[in-house]
Amino acid sequence: MGAAALNLSPQEFAAAFPFHIVLDDGLRVLQAGVVLRRLCPGLTEGAALGDHFSVQRPALPRLDFDALSKHHKSLFVLNHRDGPLRLRGEVVAQGRQLFFLGSPWVTGMSEVQQIGLSLNDFAVHDPAVTCCSCCRRRTRRSPTRRNCRGDSRSRRTT
Amino acid sequence: MYGLVNQALEDFVRRGFGDAAWKQIRDNAGLNLEMFVSMDSYPDEVTYQLVGAATEVLNLDAARILEAFGEHWVLYTAQEGYGQMLSMFGSNLEEFLLNLDNLHSHVGLTFPALRPPSFQVERIAGGHGLLLHYRSERAGLAPMVIGLLKGLGRRFAQEIDIRQTAHRGLDDHDVFRINYVAAGASAAP
């Protein structure tokens, strides 16, 4: 089977990627996911990506279209300049437009709340929600884990 | 640095130079702990002090130690349960190097105290080889990267020739030119 011929409608795309960003070749926002816009109200049409996010990974010589479009196989980590939000995803080039497809990197429910999100804000396919329930299970087991850690710590400091 | 790095350094010294040498290095570095916990974060100074002490005890310069340690790092992580992960990120040297930056990004997200280095591959037109751009918050570890590349060459049975073509400090960052030695043996996709 070759390339997929069937596509999502704009509404379906928006639901599947509630944290997406579409940029023009000057890295100005053309469109952003509805949940992301709620978290970053400044991310309106025409806003400069660099004013709102810094790119933690990959290392870029400068933040421009050419640098980003070279990294179509890279895992991107974007840090919001005004808060704890960290996005994890990839950049897809379509002509002179770039699509950032990704979602917040969270490791626990408290982090989800701290960012100002609820689990409903994530797309159903997003593994972040599953990851959070794993973390919750781990927290509930934490007394034993802490004991284990305590043991190893005391052993190595003797 | 994560404890895993210091553990690997300990393993490297013990295997190559014996337990007594490690004990001496540890004492000279002023380190008063018996063992490292692999997933705990330690100040970078611990590693730098251990390497510094090793130069005296082993009578080798830091670059040679770091290079040999880099080579050992590939073996050590594979044997410490990261072998499957290493295999997942590439079935030949070039594929692995192309994924090396993402590997560090993934690990960096999982272990937040880690400040992982960045590795970017630049292809050389028509050449049997590539350029590897290495950027790190830590200074002085370029020799370790050379060892790491040698270790990876061994792991993927790809003979390579490595030359550093740019140096952090003089240039913006370190760059290594990697040439595949055996003609046609390059498993480039």
Side-chain angles (χ1 to χ4, degrees), chain B residues 4 70-104 107 148 151-156:
Chain B
L4 189 69
E71 206 166 339
H72 187 68
W73 173 250
V74 178
L75 298 175
Y76 185 79
T77 46
Q79 118 203 342
E80 284 302 298
Y82 294 89
Q84 204 168 25
M85 187 166 107
L86 292 180
S87 306
M88 242 173 54
F89 276 88
S91 54
N92 61 55
L93 180 66
E94 185 158 316
E95 200 177 289
F96 188 85
L97 292 179
L98 283 166
N99 282 326
L100 191 56
D101 199 51
N102 279 351
L103 186 153
H104 284 89
V107 175
L148 186 111
L152 287 171
R154 277 230 307 256
R155 181 180 168 85
F156 292 108

Side-chain angles (χ1 to χ4, degrees), chain A residues 56-61 71-77 79 86-89 105 107 138 149 152-153 155-158, chain B residues 32-37 39-40 42 98-102 104-106 108-110 112 115-120 135:
Chain A
Q56 185 186 331
R57 305 279 306 191
L60 301 172
H71 284 278
H72 63 283
K73 292 285 272 184
S74 287
L75 180 71
F76 275 79
V77 179
N79 291 325
R86 170 179 293 185
L87 298 173
R88 171 197 175 282
W105 173 251
T107 52
R138 251 198 283 169
R149 268 174 88 83
S152 64
R153 270 169 198 278
R155 213 168 45 236
R156 76 182 164 90
T157 44
T158 46
Chain B
N32 54 1
L33 41 89
E34 280 299 314
M35 57 176 278
F36 296 104
V37 178
M39 289 309 149
D40 274 4
Y42 296 83
L98 283 166
N99 282 326
L100 191 56
D101 199 51
N102 279 351
H104 284 89
S105 298
H106 286 294
L109 282 174
T110 320
R115 290 169 291 125
S118 148
F119 296 94
Q120 273 157 31
R135 294 176 179 86

Side-chain angles (χ1 to χ4, degrees), chain A:
Chain A
M1 205 163 131
L6 306 174
N7 293 295
L8 298 179
S9 71
Q11 292 75 21
E12 288 159 344
F13 175 85
F17 297 102
F19 302 95
H20 77 272
I21 309 171
V22 187
L23 301 161
D24 67 13
D25 57 8
L27 301 194
R28 295 198 170 271
V29 174
L30 294 170
Q31 176 181 299
V34 62
V35 181
L36 186 61
R37 281 207 315 272
R38 198 185 79 216
L39 294 181
C40 317
L43 211 63
T44 49
E45 200 179 329
L49 176 72
D51 288 346
H52 298 274
F53 286 94
S54 62
V55 179
Q56 185 186 331
R57 305 279 306 191
L60 301 172
R62 66 206 164 271
L63 188 59
D64 64 17
F65 177 85
D66 289 338
L68 286 185
S69 54
K70 261 187 206 156
H71 284 278
H72 63 283
K73 292 285 272 184
S74 287
L75 180 71
F76 275 79
V77 179
L78 309 184
N79 291 325
H80 190 215
R81 293 193 185 278
D82 301 326
L85 176 67
R86 170 179 293 185
L87 298 173
R88 171 197 175 282
E90 63 179 295
V91 171
V92 179
Q94 193 186 67
R96 295 296 288 174
Q97 294 168 353
L98 295 172
F99 286 64
F100 170 80
L101 304 176
S103 68
W105 173 251
V106 283
T107 52
M109 299 289 183
S110 57
E111 220 177 318
V112 173
Q113 283 171 346
Q114 194 196 345
I115 296 171
L117 288 170
S118 79
L119 293 181
N120 278 334
D121 291 323
F122 290 83
V124 179
H125 74 261
D126 194 325
V129 179
T130 318
C131 174
C132 283
S133 8
C134 294
C135 294
R136 183 162 155 261
R137 224 179 57 205
R138 251 198 283 169
T139 320
R140 278 162 68 188
R141 282 189 194 154
S142 68
T144 10
R145 284 174 62 84
R146 210 170 291 135
N147 285 343
C148 293
R149 268 174 88 83
D151 286 350
S152 64
R153 270 169 198 278
S154 56
R155 213 168 45 236
R156 76 182 164 90
T157 44
T158 46

Side-chain angles (χ1 to χ4, degrees), chain B residues 6 19 51 112-113 147 166 179:
Chain B
N6 297 327
D19 294 343
V51 173
N179 286 321

